[in-house]
Amino acid sequence: MTNETIADDAEAAGRLIGYGFRPKVRPVRDSAYAALVNRYAEDPDFETLVTRYASGMGLRVIAVTTRAGMVHTALPGSAFETRMDQYARQVRMRESREAERILYGITHLAVAALAFPRPEDLADDGYQGKVRVSSIDRLVRSVCRVLAERVAESEESQDPPADALELERAWRAYERRPEVAPTKAGRSGASATRTLIGRALAHLVDRGMFHQGRADSEDGEKIFLATHRYQVHVRELASTRAYEELTELGVLPPITETGTLRTTRAETLYD
């Protein structure tokens, strides 16, 4: 292998990794991108080069598919890791509001759980998750009530955990907020929970995780459709403790009598 060939391969690997930072570009609409994806799938040496190149940059390759394209995530401490203060600016959140930061985190977990409420949905590449702001709001409020009850029980039986009071303030802050708070211009005010959820969804749309579908024919509410790229990310999220704890609260509305993520986690998705 000549030095020129090595250099060409390294450049190709870099281009493929670069596509991962352009989530709205898909291989089906970009022939050069598609060629790199196919090479990754068919050439083990190129696959190794790409994963090692990405690792050196502080990235971990999650998946490379024709539908999702290059999907990677930042390793802890990486220059590409999204910090909470960066996210706060993107969704116009005040950094000093610790409770609001917690609620944005819970909101993102709720979006994932509602988009893919069953293991078979998450494992099925042909399944497309759908969410609405109202359904996310209802789920988060249910989570808030369950967590508030748990905090109350822990206070009765023993000293609450060090972070329990802060968490309790967060849940109560959400419950106190109105679902909508119309302004003079007819828009929902910044304090409304549906505004918070809308910002979280806009953040996901901007990153190619969702796209906006047609409004519901009955109530006119916007429906957000999950992309395959988001499905790949949720498969990673489903193996984390935070996601498991959310599903264990028992507040998710099952699609069927057996629909739940509680009984099956990563072993179903990755075996």
Side-chain angles (χ1 to χ4, degrees):
M1 183 179 292
T2 65
N3 290 336
E4 184 176 355
T5 300
I6 294 173
D8 288 343
D9 289 346
E11 182 179 351
R15 286 202 304 273
L16 180 56
I17 293 168
Y19 274 114
F21 294 105
R22 301 165 63 191
K24 295 187 179 180
V25 178
R26 295 186 294 170
V28 293
R29 297 181 179 177
D30 188 309
S31 59
Y33 192 0
L36 290 170
V37 169
N38 290 334
R39 183 178 177 186
Y40 181 93
E42 299 169 359
D43 185 347
D45 291 335
F46 185 64
E47 177 186 355
T48 299
L49 177 62
V50 171
T51 55
R52 294 290 296 274
Y53 194 144
S55 179
M57 294 175 63
L59 299 167
R60 181 170 66 85
V61 176
I62 298 177
V64 181
T65 69
T66 301
R67 289 186 62 199
M70 162 60 76
V71 184
H72 48 53
T73 187
L75 294 170
S78 166
F80 298 104
E81 188 175 24
T82 300
R83 296 158 56 102
M84 180 53 77
D85 57 348
Q86 295 172 323
Y87 178 75
R89 289 194 295 271
Q90 291 165 358
V91 299
R92 302 188 298 280
M93 176 178 64
R94 295 182 184 179
E95 296 178 31
S96 59
R97 292 186 175 178
E98 180 65 26
E100 191 159 294
R101 291 204 294 269
I102 295 171
L103 291 176
Y104 267 110
I106 291 292
T107 296
H108 278 286
L109 284 171
V111 171
L114 284 175
F116 303 100
R118 305 177 303 176
E120 53 266 41
D121 300 333
L122 197 51
D124 181 3
D125 285 342
Y127 181 88
Q128 184 172 47
K130 301 177 182 180
V131 299
R132 296 154 51 116
V133 170
S134 61
S135 60
I136 297 167
D137 188 56
R138 285 194 297 270
L139 175 58
V140 177
R141 288 183 181 278
S142 296
V143 171
C144 289
R145 285 194 294 271
V146 172
L147 291 172
E149 291 170 1
R150 289 190 175 186
V151 169
E153 291 174 0
S154 67
E155 288 179 339
E156 292 177 0
S157 60
Q158 58 185 5
D159 291 335
D163 60 349
L165 295 179
E166 184 60 50
L167 290 174
E168 185 180 12
R169 282 195 291 269
W171 315 140
R172 289 179 177 175
Y174 194 98
E175 289 184 306
R176 283 197 300 268
R177 290 187 183 193
E179 293 182 18
V180 293
T183 62
K184 293 182 179 178
R187 299 177 180 178
S188 184
S191 63
T193 55
R194 293 197 181 189
T195 298
L196 182 150
I197 294 168
R199 288 174 178 173
L201 284 172
H203 178 83
L204 292 171
V205 169
D206 187 55
R207 279 148 187 77
M209 303 293 186
F210 277 86
H211 62 85
Q212 189 174 309
R214 294 182 178 180
D216 186 278
S217 59
E218 295 184 1
D219 58 20
E221 185 176 0
K222 296 177 182 177
I223 297 174
F224 293 84
L225 307 175
T227 64
H228 186 56
R229 184 182 188 87
Y230 183 67
Q231 186 177 34
V232 169
H233 274 282
V234 176
R235 286 173 180 169
E236 292 290 301
L237 176 65
S239 64
T240 66
R241 181 59 188 163
Y243 192 88
E244 182 184 12
E245 287 179 349
L246 177 60
T247 60
E248 286 177 346
L249 290 174
V251 295
L252 288 176
I255 294 179
T256 68
E257 291 182 0
T258 59
T260 175
L261 276 171
R262 200 180 323 161
T263 57
T264 308
R265 291 196 303 134
E267 51 269 26
T268 295
L269 305 179
Y270 305 116
D271 279 359

